[in-house]
Amino acid sequence: MRLREKLGWIALLYFAEGLPFGIAYDVWPVYFRVHGVSLREIGFMSLLSLPWTLKLLWAPAVDRWGMRQHWIAAALTSLGLTTLVLPALDAAHPGPLLWALMLAFTLASATQDIAVDAYAVDLASPGEEGAINGMRVTAARVALLLGGGGLITAAGWWGFEPLFALTGVLFFLLAGAAWFSPRVPLAANQRRSPIKPVLRWLFRPQMVPVLAFTLLFKLGDSTLGRMVKPFWVDRGYSLEEIGLISVTLGTVLTIGGALLGGWFVSRFGIFSGLLWLGGLQMVSNLGYVAVAALTLPRESIYLASAFESLTQGLGTAAFLSFLMGQCEKEHAATQYALLSATFALSRDLVGAFSGLGVENLGYAVYFGVTTALAVPGLVLLLPLRKVLLSQQAPEAAGAKPQGSD
């Protein structure tokens, strides 16, 4: 396939991958709270996201059995069924059946993630990682925007029930489209058990800095993000300002940053992308430090939010290119799931203490700490430099400016 055709399929499949996240993270808390469910129960619903973190446990099955399209279409069909059935159950009193239904939803979504991420690795040729990762971040962000804030806004006009029905039908349509996506020839040993080669890949000495970098690169960005919305609320900004500037404009700028970051990685290579775009990602936290610590015009937070959202997209595009570059195509599903779970583990564990951090340190000092947390990941680029330079795009090798690394 030509790159343009690959990007079209990547856009479609990553839209399908991002849509369930918006529903689970944004829509469900609002939907159940409107129906009078307690905050304690809504908090427990965060445990339903565990399949996204633990998906590496069944990723070997995706590598070993069936085509990528089989897994993706089956997962999307399951998402469609659960979305159609959910409003038929009593939302005011979530019982075991409703909890099981929501767990089935997140399990199907996590399984789809495994297969779609592996398919992206299958499609990518050397030098195409930047463009593909820029498109995948963009498509997923658009789906998050529509499936989260867009669905909530529309529910205020038409109610949740008809929108759940429309979303279920959309999942069915996406399943049909995924079934007809182009098959990619895989290695002859694709059907062999991936456990031994994956363990051999995992326990190589060079994987120590790779895993450490995966844990730490987005740590400053993740720990800041946990407390951004409460900071807006505590500073007295309206819901309209939070929705328009922090969420909607922020999503648009993150998409733009992802596209720009994908171009940068394709042009200058993965190492330069992680170094320079990761540096900008770190510096953006200082905008919130300044707003929290200094007496600035009320609109200053708009600039801090815009810069943070843009650099989040830049850093994410480079980071995904790094993760993709570490995977072997014949075992991509398992390996990519392992690396993404490693990142998710650090994000969730450290983020769980973010509220305590603000309570004990205050916003200004806490935001400063999040900036410092980004430094170790950048330092770890030094032992990875040689490997990353060897993986960079061919055009980057020929066009890289002197001294860029």
Side-chain angles (χ1 to χ4, degrees), residues 311-345:
T311 58
Q312 184 186 63
L314 292 171
T316 298
F319 185 57
L320 293 179
S321 296
F322 165 79
L323 296 183
M324 181 179 289
Q326 307 312 307
C327 298
E328 302 162 339
K329 287 185 181 293
E330 61 269 26
H331 306 297
T334 305
Q335 293 172 356
Y336 194 97
L338 178 62
L339 291 174
S340 60
T342 301
F343 156 66
L345 182 63

Side-chain angles (χ1 to χ4, degrees), residues 88-114:
L89 301 178
D90 185 6
H93 305 91
L97 181 58
L98 184 52
W99 280 90
L101 191 71
M102 292 188 290
L103 180 59
F105 182 96
T106 56
L107 279 169
S109 176
T111 302
Q112 178 194 214
D113 293 355
I114 297 168

Side-chain angles (χ1 to χ4, degrees), residues 68-121:
R68 310 295 192 205
Q69 286 78 5
H70 298 161
W71 289 98
I72 298 170
L76 284 166
T77 301
S78 298
L79 289 168
L81 289 171
T82 53
T83 304
L84 287 175
V85 173
L86 189 144
L89 301 178
D90 185 6
H93 305 91
L97 181 58
L98 184 52
W99 280 90
L101 191 71
M102 292 188 290
L103 180 59
F105 182 96
T106 56
L107 279 169
S109 176
T111 302
Q112 178 194 214
D113 293 355
I114 297 168
V116 171
D117 289 339
Y119 186 66
V121 176

